Amino acid sequence: YIAVDSCHNEVRDTVIVTVQDLREPVAICDAHPVISLSAGGTAILTAEKIDGGSFDECGPVWLAIAKMNETCEPADTVFGPFINLCCDDVGTINVILRVTDLHDNVSMCMMPIQVDDLYLPEIIAPANDTVECTTPYDLDNLNPQFGMAEQITGCLDTLIERVEEDISDCGEGKITRTFVAYNSKGDSSTAQQVIYFRNSDLFDGYK
């Protein structure tokens, strides 16, 4: 500023003006994205994937994403460039998009994410087995002796084991174990194990 009187005397003063950006960026979430899990039951969801065009009038923005609730990984509830999705997320989950501008102003938007499992819950049964007819077993718990079905693909919600016993009075015969795997949508697959009981010390009369 310069001030001048009628005698042409002047005085000068300076005022420092600080321009600040205090306005938050605009956070825009995409409209209900759908994410499909892989055959292994996992997926990665990035912040960019759910961004619907967030912006700031003074420059670029940085995006981060977080889950509302902990499922697959504890770190997913902390803002980062991506989150992990797993079988526990199948259905609808809520996530938060955080938008940060050059001057650390922050805005957020929350949105539901549809997580789909498109694969059958495929399983593999233990290998068939042959044992002596004197081998003891517990029909209500065959796992310790003869193994358990293992998941190969998809998301397993429920695993049911059905046991059919066909053993003669001599202890010979078989036990058939049928495993049925269900996902959360009710889709299912089956696998089977047969356990044969034999008598390798047959009585052949007097010699």
Side-chain angles (χ1 to χ4, degrees):
Y1 292 93
I2 302 174
V4 182
D5 63 14
S6 59
C7 297
H8 302 290
N9 298 306
E10 66 177 48
V11 62
R12 297 171 181 260
D13 197 6
T14 301
V15 176
I16 297 176
V17 178
T18 301
V19 179
Q20 293 182 312
D21 176 15
L22 302 177
R23 180 173 294 180
E24 298 174 349
V26 178
I28 303 174
C29 285
D30 195 6
H32 306 293
V34 177
I35 307 299
S36 297
L37 299 180
S38 67
T42 61
I44 296 294
L45 177 61
T46 63
E48 287 76 12
K49 181 71 175 180
I50 66 168
D51 179 41
S54 303
F55 67 94
D56 182 68
E57 296 179 347
C58 294
V61 294
W62 286 265
L63 306 176
I65 186 175
K67 286 182 180 178
M68 294 286 291
N69 299 301
E70 180 182 320
T71 49
C72 315
E73 300 287 343
D76 289 334
T77 56
V78 179
F79 283 104
F82 65 87
I83 57 174
N84 298 278
L85 300 175
C86 63
C87 293
D88 291 339
D89 295 315
V90 172
T92 302
I93 64 170
N94 291 317
V95 300
I96 304 173
L97 177 67
R98 185 183 70 183
V99 182
T100 306
D101 68 12
L102 280 169
H103 303 98
D104 294 327
N105 299 306
V106 174
S107 63
M108 302 181 190
C109 58
M110 185 187 75
M111 64 179 307
I113 300 292
Q114 179 67 36
V115 182
D116 283 347
D117 173 27
L118 303 180
Y119 294 87
L120 286 175
E122 188 176 355
I123 55 174
I124 183 172
N128 293 341
D129 201 356
T130 301
V131 297
E132 289 297 320
C133 61
T134 56
T135 303
Y137 59 86
D138 180 2
L139 276 180
D140 295 325
N141 186 20
L142 295 169
N143 295 342
Q145 287 174 276
F146 303 108
M148 184 61 183
E150 297 181 1
Q151 180 181 357
I152 300 176
T153 61
C155 293
L156 181 63
D157 185 65
T158 305
L159 179 63
I160 297 175
E161 178 185 354
R162 299 174 182 146
V163 179
E164 181 181 351
E165 185 182 31
D166 183 16
I167 304 293
S168 70
D169 293 338
C170 298
E172 295 179 295
K174 65 181 179 180
I175 292 176
T176 303
R177 306 171 72 193
T178 302
F179 300 93
V180 185
Y182 295 90
N183 62 16
S184 59
K185 297 183 292 185
D187 301 324
S188 65
S189 65
T190 61
Q192 197 171 77
Q193 177 195 36
V194 181
I195 306 163
Y196 297 95
F197 291 79
R198 69 178 182 182
N199 185 354
S200 58
D201 189 23
L202 295 175
F203 177 71
D204 58 0
Y206 295 100
K207 295 182 180 179

